[in-house]
Amino acid sequence: MANGPALSTARGGEIYQTSPLSLLDVLYANKFEGEIIDPEVVKQTEENFYRGAPPKWLNFYISEQAESDGSGTPFIKRDGYDKLVRQIKTQGKRKFPETSIVNLFHQPGCGGTTVAMKVLWDLRKTFRSAVLTGSTSDITNVAEEVVYLFTAGSRGHQNTVLLLVNDEQILENLQEKIIMIIAEQQIVTHKSVVILLNCVRKDALLQNRDHVVLRKVLSDTEKQKFDQKNTELRRKYHGKCNQFHGFNIMQTNFSQAYVKQVCEVFSTVRRAKKPKKTQLVAFISLLNAYVPGSYLLESQCLDFFKHDDYIRGDFSMEDRMEPFSHLIITFTTEASEKKVCMAHPMIAQCCTELMAEAGVARSDTARNLLTTLCRAEVPAFLVGFVKDMLTKRRPKPKESKEEDIQNNSTEMKEEPERFSRLILDIQRMEGDGQSASVLAMVSKKFAQNPFFPQALARFYYSELQDYNRAEMWAKRAKQRDPQNSFIADTLGQVHKNHLKNMEHSASQREILHMAKKAIEAFKEEEQLAENERGTDMKGDGKTKIPHLFNTRGMFGYLQVCNLVYDRLVRQNITWRGVLTKTVSLGSVLGSFGDNKLFRFYNLINSLRDEVERKCAFFDKYLTYSKPNIKKDDPPYISKDTTDCYRKYVGDSPPKHFKEKGAALIQKLKQNLADTSAGVLSCLDRECTESDLKEITTWWEEIFLQRDSVSALANYILAHIMLRNMGAMFPSDCNYLTDFIEKMPLIHEDSPELHMLTLLLCWPSDSKEKCVHDLKELIPGMHCSYDYAYKTHFRSRYLPPLFFIGKGQDLTRIVHRKVLKEIFLEQNEETIQDWSNEKIFKDPNVQDRLLKVEGVVRNHRVYANIGGTEIEMDANLRNSLEEDCQVSFYNGFTIRGPVAFAIQKTTAENVQSSEMANPEPEERKPQLSALMDNNGGHFIDLHQMVLINRVTDTEGILLKLKDRRLISNENYEAVRALKSKQDQMSGILQSLTSSTMGKDALYEILKRMKSMRSLINELEGSD
């Protein structure tokens, strides 16, 4: 690199780039070119690689040079290599999508990482190759570095980034952040921004025609390549090849016989008085066998030998470890200390097994490792390895069905193991006591870590049924992280399982006592979960916020209530009336034969109301959201919730329940339709036509008795569900006009009311003008959703509830269930998710729905309604990457309207600065209607007045963030400013370069009641 590190350009050239990136290891296009490399370094690097060290970029360069001068055969490429390169090049030729993923799944020790790095090396002059090596805790920083590498610091130097990642959990979030940054910076992309090469270890894999899958078995072609390379290496290195275990294991097709042969040295190991070298190799083997990619630092290993140094003198690591040294690799990565690991995972596994056969049990090795290597301050990487080894629950492979293979499944059907693989192996081979002993030692050793005592508590209650010890360790886990609701869950699970496994002879008092303890634990957990609000961090900037809202406390409460009901009612049927509050405890206490049960009066009296409240939550939670776009919640959640509701609420009206319409409300509860969510889920629950007609009639009667807007809305929604069922009803839906007249709604009104308002007001034709201002109604629904559900549904996917179809009035409102049934009539497969939008390609579905015309501009989609552009959400964000005219179908989630199946309708870009200027320059801002004759924007002209007089900066910040007009970093930075004036000044500074941002700020201010008079005043002064 005579002129410095160079990046490839889109036209095959190179530009020189020296700015370092902290999170990405960039493989420059001219890596090693012009450098004189010490032959001894070349030799040592190659030997280490074939012995089993992780590959370095230098390995590929050495092989490339040897091939070019005829002194060596090509670097071995496993069969998946060509497919990977083909997929990456295909993605790289496209301008869209801007971000894409190519998957490489591989079993440990089969060369997956080597294949991925070889691909990056070979494509370094076509793409900008890099490896994600830094922390992913702040994914925004990673995305910013990717965009910087894509532009090479300049808008005119774009080229696609090929990024190697090994954490599939971050992929979706990383893609969204990259697209968001591209939109915020208004970068006109001329190529795909990034291709994510997702290289992930998987223990159990099926073949897959879309992804590349590498397993521990060679094809005939691969065997031939390895045999050819073996001949070359033996000619070059002679006897040294016998210690090239990393290579030899693959060359022998992962032969267990070869592995046992090279590990024969462990046959001399004895349990008593093990030398330090034997102990150390046991530590490394155990770590590598159970934590792929783990290692120890050479300095740690040498410290372990310090006492021996005084006796035997100073020897090298290799000399100290004889006769095991050929099984161990010492290697370095870029700018790091020397690391030590076993030559191959299969060797680590075999060594661990042989030592166990010789009497060196896994539990002994684990305890010894904790005692000797985890003294004083333990390095963070080792804490992570120990945590994975003792607490990480690996997927448990299950036998896969034929349809899984036909559906192109990559992984075997999996569910988590009960405990980590090491703890399970110790339990299976050495007994429960040894597993508990290891977990107890690590819990004491790492006195601040809550996860070890949590795992120990789980082991005590689930494996040993020792509930006293389980309770003790669960409380210790809570003490170590008192604000973490997921840690708090363990204590509730301890008491719930104790209640579940109590003997049938347990007294009523014992049942209620244990139930009280479980309920108190779950209620505390629920409160902690409610306190865990926010998206990234709490106010102190240090405490992490859970990605998901924790519902385990509420669900655990319902499970306990199910157990209490079943156990008590089985003993005395009178309990049914007490628990459902149809009779009072005091009036029947004598029949239970224990007057001391009255001490549980408050608990018993609270159960029905709490069950009703929590079931209402899950009714909404399961109807309006799901874990992600591809995955549904486990069926047992809905089943257990419904069972509990029917026991406590649905079948029995409470005593003294004399509210107007109480009898009708109770009938609705029996049919699980006493809420809007209950009505909206009627088709999903496959209600009968007669039941739905009764539900509709009951809601109408309640509305007439109470004149309630919610009752009226539920009546109309029930009527819509009837229409979707195809049922005939004696009369048309009444009172639509009454409902519409009750607008405008306020943010505190429920999202269901807002959604119904939008459904009724939405034009039946996109050319038809809407009599109501959709630009006000849609943000109003967004605010209502934020107020009611955003905290609880965070990070969950909101599936569509309805779509706008062809026709008039209520007949054009189409429920999602109807589309699924239409699709199912012509297709054998069912719709499991909305991620591929395949359902919208069905001609019968297309005939039912109304297609909307619109436009995609700067990663946003707008519907053209009566000549007005209405911004909407998109179901798939990767359909917003090209500015163009589009058409789509309009769906409604509980948050608002969403565009589905977005398709380009013309080849021309819309309002794109690229048409005016073919050079890759920054997008020119669109002309705003808020500019005066001199080109000054309303926001700029009145900047000082806004700084001094705007007070609700918190509300403005939230709205800007929701519209993705301000980054998380800027949002937090502005919030941290002390005065409102400083905060408003910060907001304006964040938007100064974006006309779109200023327009949005004006709209936000205009719609805020507290700001309308100020805006009107300023407009009047212009």
Side-chain angles (χ1 to χ4, degrees), residues 317-381:
M317 181 74 182
E318 186 173 340
D319 291 336
R320 295 173 195 272
M321 293 304 296
E322 285 292 348
F324 309 116
S325 56
H326 69 99
L327 301 175
I328 293 173
I329 297 295
T330 301
F331 64 97
T332 58
T333 54
E334 297 294 329
S336 71
E337 292 186 58
K338 286 186 176 182
K339 299 174 182 177
V340 181
C341 68
M342 302 302 288
H344 194 275
M346 290 177 67
I347 289 178
Q349 188 66 44
C350 184
C351 291
T352 301
E353 291 171 359
L354 288 174
M355 281 192 284
E357 291 174 7
V360 184
R362 289 169 173 82
S363 62
D364 290 336
T365 301
R367 283 189 291 263
N368 195 13
L369 184 154
L370 292 170
T371 301
T372 57
L373 296 185
C374 297
R375 296 174 177 171
E377 189 171 342
V378 185
F381 74 87

Side-chain angles (χ1 to χ4, degrees), residues 98-99 143 147 174-184 859 877-878 880-881:
E98 290 177 324
T99 69
V147 173
L174 179 57
Q175 285 181 293
E176 288 183 1
K177 293 291 184 184
I178 290 170
I179 292 172
M180 186 184 300
I181 291 170
I182 291 289
E184 286 176 353
H859 295 83
R877 284 195 58 83
N878 61 10
L880 304 180
E881 295 177 342

Side-chain angles (χ1 to χ4, degrees), residues 718-771:
H719 218 292
I720 292 171
M721 304 301 280
L722 269 176
R723 295 286 183 95
N724 276 271
M725 189 179 274
M728 300 296 294
F729 203 59
S731 63
D732 290 333
C733 186
N734 303 315
Y735 321 113
L736 289 179
T737 305
D738 292 27
F739 181 81
I740 294 172
E741 285 177 352
K742 295 181 183 295
M743 295 191 306
L745 301 169
I746 59 174
H747 297 162
E748 286 72 20
D749 286 327
S750 71
E752 291 85 352
L753 292 179
H754 283 268
M755 180 179 67
L756 181 57
T757 302
L758 274 170
L759 287 170
L760 296 178
C761 294
W762 204 271
S764 56
D765 189 307
S766 60
K767 295 179 182 178
E768 177 186 335
K769 282 198 171 184
C770 183
V771 295

Side-chain angles (χ1 to χ4, degrees), residues 725-918:
M725 189 179 274
M728 300 296 294
F729 203 59
S731 63
D732 290 333
C733 186
N734 303 315
Y735 321 113
L736 289 179
T737 305
D738 292 27
F739 181 81
I740 294 172
E741 285 177 352
K742 295 181 183 295
M743 295 191 306
L745 301 169
I746 59 174
H747 297 162
E748 286 72 20
D749 286 327
S750 71
E752 291 85 352
L753 292 179
H754 283 268
M755 180 179 67
L756 181 57
T757 302
L758 274 170
L759 287 170
L760 296 178
C761 294
W762 204 271
S764 56
D765 189 307
S766 60
K767 295 179 182 178
E768 177 186 335
K769 282 198 171 184
C770 183
V771 295
H772 299 281
D773 187 354
L774 296 178
K775 285 191 173 182
E776 288 192 7
L777 292 178
I778 294 173
M781 184 171 182
H782 290 170
C783 290
S784 176
Y785 167 84
D786 290 350
Y787 180 78
Y789 299 134
K790 183 178 180 180
T791 297
H792 298 136
F793 295 175
R794 65 176 182 257
S795 300
R796 285 173 65 89
Y797 173 71
L798 306 180
L801 296 166
F802 293 106
F803 291 87
I804 297 295
K806 298 172 182 177
Q808 300 294 323
D809 301 325
L810 300 186
T811 57
R812 66 198 173 89
I813 303 174
V814 183
H815 191 267
R816 63 188 177 198
K817 179 81 169 181
V818 173
L819 297 189
K820 290 184 178 182
E821 289 177 347
I822 292 173
F823 184 79
L824 190 59
E825 288 176 3
Q826 305 296 327
N827 300 271
E828 293 183 1
E829 59 180 308
T830 58
I831 294 296
Q832 299 295 330
D833 62 68
W834 298 92
S835 62
N836 58 19
E837 298 187 334
K838 186 175 181 180
I839 190 171
F840 300 104
K841 297 176 183 177
D842 188 293
N844 295 317
V845 172
Q846 294 174 355
D847 287 344
R848 185 69 188 266
L849 298 181
L850 178 69
K851 184 159 278 192
V852 178
E853 301 298 323
V855 63
V856 170
R857 188 185 306 113
N858 197 27
H859 295 83
R860 288 175 171 78
V861 62
Y862 302 85
N864 194 331
I865 306 294
T868 302
E869 287 187 356
I870 306 296
E871 184 178 353
M872 303 176 64
D873 289 334
N875 182 52
L876 301 179
R877 284 195 58 83
N878 61 10
S879 57
L880 304 180
E881 295 177 342
E882 182 178 8
D883 287 9
C884 58
Q885 298 285 352
V886 294
S887 62
F888 51 85
Y889 299 109
N890 188 7
F892 283 83
T893 70
I894 196 59
R895 186 179 181 271
V898 175
F900 286 80
I902 298 174
Q903 290 186 320
K904 184 177 177 181
T905 56
T906 67
E908 298 178 359
N909 285 352
V910 181
Q911 295 186 13
S912 171
S913 60
E914 188 178 350
M915 296 175 64
N917 184 358

